[in-house]
Amino acid sequence: MAAPELGFRCFDFDNHYYEAEDAFTRHLDRRMARRTMQWVEINGRRRLLVGGKLNRYIPNPTFDPVSKPGALDEYFRGRNPQGLDTSELFGELEPIAAAYRDREARLAVMDEQGIDGAVFLPTLGVGMEQALVHDIPAAVAAFRAFNRWLDEDWGFAYQERIFAAPYITLCDPEAAVREIDWAIGRDARTVVMVAGPVATESGMRAPADPMFDGFWSRVNEAGLTVVYHGGESHYTKYLRDWGEPAEVEAFRVHPFRRLVSANPVQDTFASLLAHGLFGRFPNLRVAAIETGSDWVFHLFEKLKKSYGQTPQMWAEDPRETFRRHVWVAPFYEDALAGLRTMIGPERILMGSDFPHAEGLAVPAAFVDDLRGAGFGDDDCRLVMRDNGAGLSMRRPG
């Protein structure tokens, strides 16, 4: 499929790499090896131990072979008339391409795709924090090592085109401050986290708890964009109460997991608003990536009612606060016209999820869904380029 004609080059806010096998170990303090990530061979296959336990978040964490980009496009549009299993829908796997692990090769692919710049996000990394929350020093060590690998292999602002986002865990607030200071010093433009409450030595805490203000103040001052990306969150633990497995395994999901109403990203943004984070740090910019947009509609219903009932508890209508500070990358199959009405085209981001199976094989094809939803040329340019490009530049407070 050829890229559609746009008249400009895109900015994709949801690109991915496939982690090198030593992404968590190359720069790891060797004293932490047994407590963090280790490779083992089981029945002739390389498998990943995390915290001494077999981790199933990605069935094949070597990513070789791997699915073709966009292999599950029709499935995620709700079209699977033959009722095929996801393993069948994947089709034939292929050897991992150089562009999934090498930035020079990836730039060549981006040129072919008409992509000027992109935010690069983890594949394996967003499923690792919850596997280590029982051992906070190990979690800190693992993601410290991960971020040094990421900077070395991809760069946080490589040629002003590849903007890899270091992963920040808030589980140790002082360590989070050290890590964000380091990332700012390395010219990071975005950082990535997973939604949900934070496990700390003193118990579970909301991400807007003042104990994390050291981190948020540095983001606010430097003008970075914080990305909440889909991944394994603390909410996975709640599913055990419904008889579901406590671990997430990609693409092997019981229908109940897609139907359950507990939504960590919706609750995270509710928490950020209700606990006054944006009032304390008015320069914050936060983006929700690969979490869809249906949660925005549900949240706005609740915010409207809460503000109507208790306006004295809010500094302003929280929906206006949201519109000022939050950007959303919807899934291509979402109610795009309704989202535009709710938050405005200035707050919608194009995210293709390339090269994942559930993403778009041709990132620029996202514009076809926008046009199908009635977006005009000016709005398409905002979504497909200008909004994301703006968030990739620091806005110091």
Side-chain angles (χ1 to χ4, degrees):
M1 177 181 176
E5 179 56 44
L6 297 177
F8 56 85
R9 289 163 65 85
C10 300
F11 191 99
D12 193 338
F13 219 83
D14 187 19
N15 260 214
H16 288 269
Y17 44 79
Y18 288 123
E19 286 88 341
E21 290 188 25
D22 64 349
F24 280 97
T25 59
R26 186 188 302 173
H27 295 283
L28 182 67
D29 181 341
R30 297 305 170 193
R31 294 171 296 181
M32 302 296 290
R34 291 183 178 273
R35 294 164 63 181
T36 54
M37 284 70 174
Q38 298 172 280
W39 287 99
V40 297
E41 187 170 307
I42 300 176
N43 297 326
R45 295 182 60 192
R46 282 177 66 75
R47 303 299 299 271
L48 189 63
L49 297 183
V50 183
K53 295 177 60 177
L54 181 64
N55 187 276
R56 295 183 174 85
Y57 181 71
I58 299 292
N60 178 18
T62 68
F63 302 109
D64 192 10
V66 72
S67 64
K68 296 177 182 178
L72 300 181
D73 185 325
E74 288 294 295
Y75 174 80
F76 279 94
R77 293 182 188 275
R79 299 193 284 261
N80 181 18
Q82 295 178 293
L84 299 177
D85 184 81
T86 51
S87 62
E88 298 174 287
L89 292 168
F90 273 123
E92 185 178 353
L93 302 181
E94 57 187 17
I96 190 166
Y100 302 162
R101 283 184 168 158
D102 179 85
R103 62 189 181 186
E104 298 300 338
R106 188 58 164 269
L107 285 173
V109 171
M110 289 167 63
D111 287 339
E112 295 172 1
Q113 294 174 330
I115 294 177
D116 194 37
V119 171
F120 277 65
L121 299 162
T123 299
L124 180 67
V126 292
M128 296 294 101
E129 183 175 0
Q130 291 304 309
L132 290 171
V133 293
H134 65 284
D135 186 349
I136 287 174
V140 170
F143 285 105
R144 182 185 185 280
F146 179 85
N147 290 335
R148 273 106 191 122
W149 161 80
L150 184 64
D151 184 33
E152 187 170 275
D153 276 20
W154 290 95
F156 299 152
Y158 185 65
Q159 294 190 15
E160 292 294 319
R161 296 188 66 190
I162 290 177
F163 301 95
Y167 189 103
I168 301 293
T169 172
L170 297 178
C171 60
D172 179 333
E174 292 183 3
V177 168
R178 292 194 297 271
E179 196 67 4
I180 193 62
D181 283 344
W182 172 82
I184 291 168
R186 298 296 299 166
D187 201 22
R189 310 298 178 81
T190 63
V191 297
V192 62
M193 299 190 287
V194 171
V198 181
T200 73
E201 294 287 6
S202 56
M204 301 305 298
R205 294 289 184 273
D209 189 292
M211 73 184 298
F212 306 120
D213 278 3
F215 164 79
W216 291 113
S217 67
R218 283 159 172 79
V219 173
N220 184 79
E221 181 179 354
L224 278 68
T225 300
V226 173
V227 172
Y228 276 106
H229 188 278
E232 184 167 7
S233 79
H234 187 76
Y235 274 40
T236 304
K237 309 295 188 295
Y238 302 155
L239 294 176
R240 287 185 297 191
D241 295 338
W242 293 96
E244 293 290 311
E247 293 180 306
V248 168
E249 187 171 357
F251 305 114
R252 296 179 183 177
V253 178
H254 189 276
F256 178 74
R257 284 181 180 263
R258 300 197 188 282
L259 298 173
V260 66
S261 60
N263 189 317
V265 70
Q266 176 177 327
D267 292 348
T268 295
F269 280 93
S271 174
L272 300 182
L273 291 163
H275 290 95
L277 185 71
F278 299 115
R280 301 201 302 277
F281 304 107
N283 192 45
L284 287 182
R285 297 179 296 176
V286 185
I289 307 298
E290 209 171 320
T291 57
S293 60
D294 57 349
W295 60 272
V296 180
F297 297 86
H298 303 151
L299 178 60
F300 268 44
E301 289 178 5
K302 292 177 177 292
L303 292 175
K304 179 181 178 181
K305 186 170 185 178
S306 176
Y307 184 62
Q309 291 175 325
T310 57
Q312 73 278 9
M313 301 292 289
W314 299 93
E316 64 171 349
D317 186 333
R319 292 169 297 175
E320 293 305 315
T321 310
F322 185 102
R323 293 185 182 107
R324 191 163 57 251
H325 291 277
V326 179
W327 284 254
V328 177
F331 294 141
Y332 47 74
E333 69 270 22
D334 283 355
L336 301 176
L339 185 66
R340 178 185 56 188
T341 299
M342 185 159 291
I343 66 174
E346 302 84 3
R347 292 296 182 268
I348 301 176
L349 298 169
M350 175 269 217
S352 73
D353 199 32
F354 182 87
H356 288 173
E358 65 271 31
L360 292 169
V362 179
F366 193 85
V367 77
D368 295 335
D369 292 288
L370 294 175
R371 289 169 175 165
F375 283 63
D377 290 345
D378 290 343
D379 287 351
C380 284
R381 183 182 174 103
L382 283 172
V383 175
M384 297 291 294
R385 177 183 174 84
D386 294 351
N387 296 340
L391 292 180
S392 75
M393 295 183 288
R394 290 189 187 177
R395 186 184 68 182

